Amino acid sequence: MAAPDRIDNFFAMQSARSDRWRDTLTAAQKWVSGNGSRAAVEDSLGEISTLEEFHAYPGVRLMSRLREKIAAGDAGATAELISRFSNAILTKSYSHQAETDQASESADALPELLPSVIAGRDARRPYFEVLLVTPQPASRWAALSAEFRRLRRVEDSFIYEPVIVGSFEDALCAAIVNPQILAVIVAEGVPFRSSHDAPVLRRILDQTMGALAADASALRLAGILKNLRPDLDIYVTTDRAVEKLASDPAAACATRIFYAVEELLELHLAVLEGIQKRFETPFFDNLKRYAQRPIGTFHALPIARGKSVFQSEWIRDMGEFYGINLFLAESSATTGGLDSLLEPTGNIKKAQDMAARAFGADHVFFVTNGTSTSNKMVVQALVAPGDIVIVDRNCHKSHHYGLVLNGGQPLYVEAFPLTQYSMYGAVPLQSIKKALLDLRDEGRLDRLRLLDLTNCTFDGHMYNTRRVMEECLAIKPDLIFLWDEAWSGFARWSPFLRPRTGMGAAAAIESWLQDPASVAAYEKQQKDLGPKPSREKLMTTRLVPDPRKVRLRVYQTNSTHKSMSAIRQGSMVLVKDVDFGSVESQFHEAIFTHASTSPNQQLIASLDVARRQMELEGYGLVMNAISVALKIRAIVNSHPVISKYFKVLGADELIPEAFRQSGFVDYLVPGTTWGDIVKAMREDEFYLDPTRMTLVCGNAGFDGTQFKSLLASRFNIQVNKTSRNSVLLQSNINNTRSDIAHLVRVLVEICGEIEERFATGGEGERKGFAARTKSLMHDVPDLPNFSRFHDAFRGNAGKHTNEGDMRTAFFMAYDESSCEYIPLNSPEINKRLEKGPDLVSANFVIPYPPGFPIMVPGQVLTQDAIGFMRKLDVKEIHGYESAKGLKLIRPEKLRGKSAASRAAQ
């Protein structure tokens, strides 16, 4: 393992920063009591000294003072200083109150560090840090910091403290390990190499930037920092030809360029203005102002202003529970500055534009009915009746129902199965390419409109989105992409996850298309492939699209409420579509179709606020969520008792080896570094989101539903998704280390109860337990693939593809005379499977878990699907009534349609 003072595992170092200070405090207290030594304090301090160089507090000056006390042998003063530092870092109190001298040094007071309390101002002004990257010698840094502190004014809405570094690598380290840095000032002439040993950092640099040291310019550093953290405002200062630098295309990454430091006050004001632009929440700010106005309401919303609630003898408790502002901010009017969600032109429109900037999209649309509605909106806007849509059969039901509503024809592709855990992964690229090439070979590629995939899946599988889109565009340059990222909207704020998002990959492709080298890469591959490459060659080659033909059209749906601080059902549609103008009117029609004309004002405001939070602290929050997840993984899988009955699955157990081209095994494998993780993120076909933890509970004798209920009813722990033998734990920006402790304590208690039953129940208990775990972990049903649509619903479908007219089958079932019901275990089912006529589903059948439709309208049922249904032991199966049996379309209703379908072909 790397030495603690090396910047090898900077994510763990940041999350464990307060722990290391507490350890150093313990060493200092032992020194005071005579049970420790100065050397032990020095060793402990050495473990965190490098990391502290990248934070404003305690900072270089106070750290120097601490070392002076240690060198003087003053154990008491050392312990007192470390206690102050440790407590301030743990509570973040340094960002809200002035540092005062508590060390009884009247003649040698500690230097002023954070004068957050300025006369006439609130001490709790938002605090952030600014990274200064300068070639000036370290001896000048204290004076440089003082210059910036002197610029503070009573009128400033925010307060910041400088963090100064003197090299390219140190700047990257600081941006990575310190989430409080929100702005960077980069000067020309900064050396490349750090004085610290950072091999993993250099490996990451080598993988991403190549021979970077040869071009360690201010603009190059600015570009890398912006790519690493899009939330940073970056200001470049130069003493050279500032006009020429500003005209360089690479300067687009800089918020502003200044000539040297001739306008230091302007630089200070620019930094504050940059934060203000992100802090602003147009709709939320306006809603707060609206709530303070005296309003007379003569519209159909009695709850507005709260009089019907607070003046009631019977429902006053609701007002006391929610508070007055909820009601003051209610209105059914879109006038008076509140704007209309259906046709926004004011503050909602501005809020959506700010969200587009934050999420890297061209357009963003707020949705108040959840991502189920977002998906239906996108499908309706882009797909016409008869259009073919390649879609993951295992996707959320909203995609299937969206195709039913608008008549798009699904061409189902299958995700790889994880049979032991009764779940699916994601769809291999080979399956997608095969579908595209089948359509091409049958002359029907022009009917293909959309590729619709879930990213990431419930269980954390993230596509190599860039590769998928590039290879698909190489076959069909105008293909549209819909990435359902309901569960991973937060991924935008992690440099290790962002490239795997729809918008992140779209930005990379957009940049590649503008690079002249892209044409050369395409033409070289065409020469290598030859004039008529075989299907096998196309299937095994990583295809390069023709940049001159590509129409980049990418849509992404985010359940903002699932991973950010938005109220339930808050969602966004993100758009990066060069041809959006051609579909904009129908997109608005889709909004009119699905959106409520009475959207919740508080929900809209929460979307606005969620964007603000993620822009200003999302990087640190997501980093903490990853850290929490890694801690849970490590504890569960290594604890001597918990690991006997529970396990968090690793990447190697959730992603087959064939899809992990980098050789990455798992986050917890000894020796794994963040460099390995970056390599996996860049190269592997599928990548596991570390915040999603599949906890196997079958070895503890619990099925997923049973364990979920146990956690909720007895221990107040809520989880979302389950499978036959697992539950899904998801860390998010809300989790703390206390949550980890609670989960671990609960698992220990449950394991203790299992072992107590063994001790008191004897051999009978053990045999029963073994039988139960065998049933859950080994006697699992095979997962059924989609079979085919019945010929009656195939229309002009091709011979080698499985698309069909699901809409007609769906609405045929509205006529009860067209349907029959057959009990699942009836001998008639077996007879029909063997001799016919076909069993054709009249509706969707969706068991929970696993939560995917194993039957869709118009599908011919096979032994696999029936066998799976018969083995299911879950209580919730949507679309199936056990008292009636399977709902099927009568064979006689299909005969005429089958003949017509064959004639159409």
Side-chain angles (χ1 to χ4, degrees):
M1 184 175 177
D5 60 339
R6 282 163 47 177
I7 319 168
D8 282 323
N9 198 341
F10 28 71
F11 281 87
M13 289 177 75
Q14 172 60 28
S15 64
R17 186 184 176 208
S18 60
D19 283 348
R20 295 191 175 186
W21 273 108
R22 302 304 288 184
D23 291 342
T24 305
L25 176 60
T26 298
Q29 290 170 336
K30 287 182 178 179
W31 182 24
V32 172
S33 66
N35 295 321
S37 65
R38 179 169 68 182
V41 176
E42 291 173 335
D43 289 344
S44 183
L45 189 63
E47 295 182 3
I48 55 176
S49 59
T50 299
L51 182 66
E52 292 306 324
E53 293 183 21
F54 305 132
H55 295 81
Y57 182 88
V60 175
R61 298 167 72 188
L62 292 183
M63 289 293 287
S64 296
R65 184 59 54 87
L66 176 59
R67 291 190 185 94
E68 290 174 6
K69 299 302 179 187
I70 296 173
D74 191 340
T78 297
E80 188 169 353
L81 277 178
I82 292 174
S83 177
R84 290 171 55 195
F85 297 168
S86 177
N87 290 334
I89 290 168
L90 183 65
T91 63
K92 296 185 179 179
S93 60
Y94 62 85
S95 64
H96 298 309
Q97 61 188 21
E99 264 296 328
T100 57
D101 176 25
Q102 299 177 9
S104 302
E105 299 180 84
S106 57
D108 188 20
L110 290 172
E112 174 188 60
L113 182 65
L114 295 176
S116 301
V117 182
I118 300 179
R121 296 295 294 176
D122 181 359
R124 295 188 64 84
R125 285 183 291 172
Y127 166 84
F128 65 101
E129 294 178 5
V130 175
L131 179 63
L132 304 180
V133 190
T134 176
Q136 294 190 34
S139 59
R140 279 275 306 145
W141 292 359
L144 185 58
S145 292
E147 289 182 52
F148 276 92
R149 292 193 192 100
R150 282 194 291 269
L151 296 171
R152 292 172 177 160
R153 304 175 304 150
V154 172
E155 293 80 9
D156 294 344
S157 298
F158 316 102
I159 188 164
Y160 68 85
E161 181 68 17
V163 175
I164 304 180
V165 297
S167 74
F168 201 111
E169 287 188 334
D170 284 340
L172 287 175
C173 282
I176 290 170
V177 306
N178 186 351
Q180 288 189 299
I181 292 173
L182 294 181
V184 184
I185 301 171
V186 182
E188 282 283 340
V190 175
F192 178 75
R193 291 296 186 194
S194 168
S195 60
H196 304 295
D197 183 15
V200 170
L201 173 63
R202 289 172 188 155
R203 187 183 308 172
I204 295 172
L205 287 173
D206 291 343
Q207 291 171 355
T208 57
M209 302 306 298
L212 183 62
D215 181 20
S217 65
L219 284 184
R220 189 69 180 278
L221 175 57
I224 295 171
L225 288 171
K226 195 68 175 177
N227 185 60
L228 177 75
R229 288 184 55 183
D231 57 306
L232 295 176
D233 288 326
I234 302 180
Y235 305 90
V236 175
T237 66
T238 180
D239 56 3
R240 303 174 188 175
V242 65
E243 301 83 2
K244 182 178 179 181
L245 190 67
S247 65
D248 190 324
C253 62
T255 306
R256 189 170 171 184
I257 297 175
F258 289 89
Y259 180 67
V261 289
E262 65 178 6
E263 299 179 273
L264 195 58
L265 177 59
E266 294 299 321
L267 182 56
H268 167 77
L269 295 175
V271 167
L272 295 178
E273 182 185 48
I275 300 300
Q276 182 62 51
K277 285 181 179 179
R278 288 181 276 166
F279 186 80
E280 181 185 2
T281 44
F283 184 78
F284 179 53
D285 294 344
N286 194 68
L287 191 63
K288 288 188 292 183
R289 290 191 293 269
Y290 172 84
Q292 301 308 311
R293 294 166 54 192
I295 304 292
T297 57
F298 294 91
H299 53 62
L301 195 65
I303 206 170
R305 316 308 290 178
K307 287 178 282 188
S308 69
V309 175
F310 289 99
Q311 294 178 9
S312 169
E313 293 291 329
W314 303 101
I315 64 170
R316 188 184 304 157
D317 57 333
M318 182 175 77
E320 294 168 350
F321 180 77
Y322 285 110
I324 185 62
N325 282 336
L326 176 69
F327 304 97
L328 292 177
E330 274 291 5
S331 175
S332 71
T334 58
T335 56
L338 288 180
D339 207 3
S340 166
L341 184 63
L342 295 180
E343 289 190 286
T345 57
N347 49 74
I348 292 181
K349 177 66 168 62
K350 186 175 180 182
Q352 291 183 156
D353 290 344
M354 294 174 71
R357 176 198 67 204
F359 285 93
D362 294 333
H363 310 278
V364 161
F365 296 91
F366 290 170
V367 180
T368 60
N369 309 70
T371 299
S372 295
T373 295
S374 294
N375 291 330
K376 293 172 192 172
M377 285 179 177
V378 176
V379 170
Q380 177 177 322
L382 300 176
V383 179
D387 284 347
I388 297 173
V389 177
I390 296 177
V391 58
D392 178 4
R393 194 269 310 218
N394 188 36
C395 66
H396 188 266
K397 64 182 182 179
S398 58
H399 299 274
H400 303 279
Y401 281 109
L403 292 171
V404 164
L405 292 174
N406 75 346
Q409 296 195 4
L411 196 168
Y412 286 121
V413 285
E414 294 285 350
F416 62 81
L418 295 164
T419 304
Q420 183 179 359
Y421 306 109
S422 296
M423 65 178 71
Y424 281 96
V427 181
L429 179 55
Q430 290 290 296
S431 300
I432 299 169
K433 289 173 68 174
K434 180 182 181 302
L436 283 161
L437 292 173
D438 285 344
L439 290 170
R440 184 203 65 172
D441 294 346
E442 293 184 350
R444 296 183 303 115
L445 193 59
D446 61 306
R447 288 183 53 201
L448 175 62
R449 180 71 166 169
L450 181 70
L451 174 63
D452 186 348
L453 297 173
T454 304
N455 183 52
C456 68
T457 67
F458 246 131
D459 302 283
H461 301 95
M462 301 186 78
Y463 285 85
N464 191 328
T465 46
R466 177 173 181 176
R467 180 175 179 181
V468 169
M469 290 196 284
E470 286 181 339
E471 293 216 46
C472 290
L473 290 169
I475 301 171
K476 183 173 174 59
D478 63 345
L479 183 62
I480 309 173
F481 302 89
L482 169 56
W483 297 100
D484 179 348
E485 301 192 9
W487 295 93
S488 57
F490 70 93
R492 167 74 182 174
W493 312 103
S494 167
F496 294 97
L497 300 178
R498 186 184 315 112
R500 292 265 169 167
T501 66
M503 289 298 113
I509 294 174
E510 184 178 52
S511 177
W512 179 81
L513 292 173
Q514 296 168 357
D515 187 344
S518 61
V519 174
Y522 168 76
E523 291 181 342
K524 180 182 183 303
Q525 182 172 92
Q526 291 302 297
K527 183 178 178 181
D528 294 341
L529 289 173
K532 292 184 178 180
S534 66
R535 276 179 63 103
E536 181 181 1
K537 186 77 170 176
L538 293 174
M539 288 291 292
T540 57
T541 300
R542 180 164 184 168
L543 301 178
V544 177
D546 186 346
R548 295 160 296 193
K549 295 181 180 179
V550 166
R551 307 299 299 171
L552 187 61
R553 310 189 65 185
V554 184
Y555 291 75
Q556 177 182 321
T557 54
N558 285 354
S559 283
T560 316
H561 69 100
K562 283 186 169 72
S563 62
M564 290 167 266
S565 299
I567 295 173
R568 191 169 179 85
Q569 292 193 342
S571 177
M572 296 184 189
V573 176
L574 280 56
V575 180
K576 184 174 278 292
D577 181 353
V578 295
D579 294 326
F580 184 69
S582 66
V583 297
E584 186 171 8
S585 62
Q586 59 210 54
F587 194 90
H588 286 294
E589 288 292 342
I591 293 175
F592 297 152
T593 301
H594 295 282
S596 169
T597 55
S598 303
N600 183 280
Q601 308 280 31
Q602 286 70 40
L603 204 159
I604 300 171
S606 76
L607 290 170
D608 200 9
V609 172
R611 185 274 314 157
R612 177 215 279 176
Q613 180 181 40
M614 298 310 286
E615 276 204 288
L616 293 172
E617 57 179 336
Y619 174 77
L621 291 172
V622 174
M623 184 161 60
N624 180 69
I626 293 174
S627 176
V628 166
L630 294 179
K631 284 185 172 68
I632 291 174
R633 288 172 179 272
I635 293 171
V636 169
N637 290 354
S638 63
H639 192 282
V641 177
I642 297 175
S643 62
K644 291 167 62 176
Y645 304 102
F646 295 96
K647 181 180 182 181
V648 177
L649 297 180
D652 54 332
E653 294 162 299
L654 287 171
I655 302 174
E657 186 177 3
F659 304 128
R660 291 180 280 112
Q661 290 84 349
S662 71
F664 178 70
V665 177
D666 187 50
Y667 298 96
L668 299 181
V669 171
T672 298
T673 68
W674 280 102
D676 300 323
I677 293 170
V678 170
K679 190 171 188 288
M681 183 274 294
R682 287 173 50 83
E683 298 179 6
D684 290 354
E685 183 166 345
F686 299 112
Y687 181 74
L688 189 64
D689 171 10
T691 68
R692 310 187 72 74
M693 297 155 282
T694 299
L695 179 71
V696 176
C697 56
N699 288 319
F702 300 104
D703 64 55
T705 303
Q706 181 185 12
F707 192 61
K708 172 183 176 179
S709 176
L710 173 69
L711 290 177
S713 60
R714 279 189 56 191
F715 301 106
N716 294 321
I717 292 178
Q718 297 178 351
V719 299
N720 193 306
K721 183 253 186 188
T722 65
S723 79
R724 178 182 176 85
N725 50 28
S726 72
V727 298
L728 180 71
L729 306 177
Q730 180 185 4
S731 65
N732 56 54
I733 65 172
N734 185 59
N735 286 125
T736 65
R737 294 175 64 185
S738 295
D739 295 328
I740 302 175
H742 181 43
L743 175 65
V744 170
R745 185 197 64 79
V746 165
L747 292 178
V748 168
E749 183 174 340
I750 292 171
C751 292
E753 291 175 355
I754 294 172
E755 300 203 329
E756 184 177 352
R757 291 203 307 270
F758 288 165
T760 59
E763 188 63 23
E765 176 68 28
R766 291 184 179 275
K767 286 183 177 180
F769 184 84
R772 173 69 171 160
T773 57
K774 180 177 181 295
S775 171
L776 289 171
M777 298 301 300
H778 301 289
D779 299 338
V780 293
D782 289 333
L783 296 173
N785 285 338
F786 178 79
S787 53
R788 62 183 175 88
F789 285 104
H790 190 272
D791 286 346
F793 308 110
R794 293 276 288 158
N796 60 353
K799 295 181 180 179
H800 302 291
T801 53
N802 68 18
E803 77 274 14
D805 180 8
M806 188 165 57
R807 176 188 172 92
T808 297
F810 180 88
F811 286 107
M812 182 181 289
Y814 275 38
D815 179 5
E816 280 294 318
S817 67
S818 298
C819 300
E820 61 179 339
Y821 293 88
I822 303 180
L824 182 63
N825 292 309
S826 168
E828 178 68 14
I829 293 286
N830 300 331
K831 179 181 176 182
R832 294 267 294 267
L833 286 171
E834 182 179 353
K835 298 180 179 180
D838 288 335
L839 301 166
V840 180
S841 181
N843 61 346
F844 289 101
V845 177
I846 308 175
Y848 283 83
F852 58 84
I854 61 171
M855 302 175 188
V856 304
Q859 178 184 349
V860 176
L861 304 185
T862 62
Q863 183 63 60
D864 288 346
I866 297 298
F868 184 81
M869 279 285 291
R870 286 172 172 172
K871 290 183 180 180
L872 280 176
D873 55 2
V874 300
K875 298 180 177 62
E876 184 178 357
I877 306 177
H878 297 181
Y880 174 72
E881 299 179 58
S882 59
K884 291 183 176 181
L886 295 172
K887 185 176 183 179
L888 306 171
I889 300 176
R890 292 183 180 276
E892 61 268 23
K893 296 292 184 179
L894 298 171
R895 292 188 187 110
K897 288 185 173 293
S898 297
S901 179
R902 286 192 294 272
Q905 294 184 53

